[in-house]
Amino acid sequence: MIVPSMISGSVHLLRWATIAVVLVDSNGQERTIEARLDTGFTGDMTLPASAIEQLGFPFISITGFRTGTGQFADFDTYRGNILWHGREHVINVLESETFPLIGVGLLWDNNLSIDFTHGGNVTVTELLET
């Protein structure tokens, strides 16, 4: 029997659902950061410019996205590596000077469960192919 992998986190006092994610920098070193889950964001992940620079992620393009306010904006996009369910994946990282966000691009093919209360459990469980 194959057991699906699970990523755990919690709900912050300000009602943010967060998880710790492991990013792999350009030298192959792993760095853990806390990120908010944002189901309104269809991309993979956002990071501030300073984090992208420290990780050494290479620039790949400018990508247009509709923001939470409904405005259309261009974002510098970088190629990044993340350990997701124990496996390294290449993702698109948009530069944004907000708290790091995980979007639906990474959450796709997963089950997301959030207990919306202070300190509530957050679980991201991979959906196994049948």
Side-chain angles (χ1 to χ4, degrees), residues 57-62 75-79:
F57 290 168
F59 176 82
I60 55 173
S61 68
I62 295 176
F75 293 86
D76 287 350
T77 305
Y78 298 80
R79 187 178 67 243

Side-chain angles (χ1 to χ4, degrees), residues 30-56:
E30 297 177 2
R31 299 180 189 220
T32 302
I33 66 161
E34 184 179 44
R36 293 181 198 164
L37 300 177
D38 183 351
T39 60
F41 169 46
T42 58
D44 294 332
M45 183 172 200
T46 69
L47 285 173
S50 60
I52 292 169
E53 183 178 336
Q54 289 174 354
L55 291 160

Side-chain angles (χ1 to χ4, degrees), residues 10-11 113-123:
S10 63
V11 177
S113 175
I114 303 172
D115 296 332
F116 277 106
T117 186
H118 179 243
N121 292 322
V122 175
T123 56

Side-chain angles (χ1 to χ4, degrees), residues 10-91:
S10 63
V11 177
H12 187 275
L13 180 63
L14 295 176
R15 301 179 180 181
W16 305 319
T18 62
I19 59 172
V21 294
V22 179
L23 300 171
V24 181
D25 71 16
S26 59
N27 296 318
Q29 299 296 311
E30 297 177 2
R31 299 180 189 220
T32 302
I33 66 161
E34 184 179 44
R36 293 181 198 164
L37 300 177
D38 183 351
T39 60
F41 169 46
T42 58
D44 294 332
M45 183 172 200
T46 69
L47 285 173
S50 60
I52 292 169
E53 183 178 336
Q54 289 174 354
L55 291 160
F57 290 168
F59 176 82
I60 55 173
S61 68
I62 295 176
T63 306
F65 265 89
R66 189 166 307 279
T67 68
T69 63
Q71 302 286 54
F72 193 77
D74 290 329
F75 293 86
D76 287 350
T77 305
Y78 298 80
R79 187 178 67 243
N81 289 19
I82 190 169
L83 290 181
W84 190 251
H85 294 297
R87 296 178 299 280
E88 192 167 333
H89 294 273
V90 176
I91 61 171

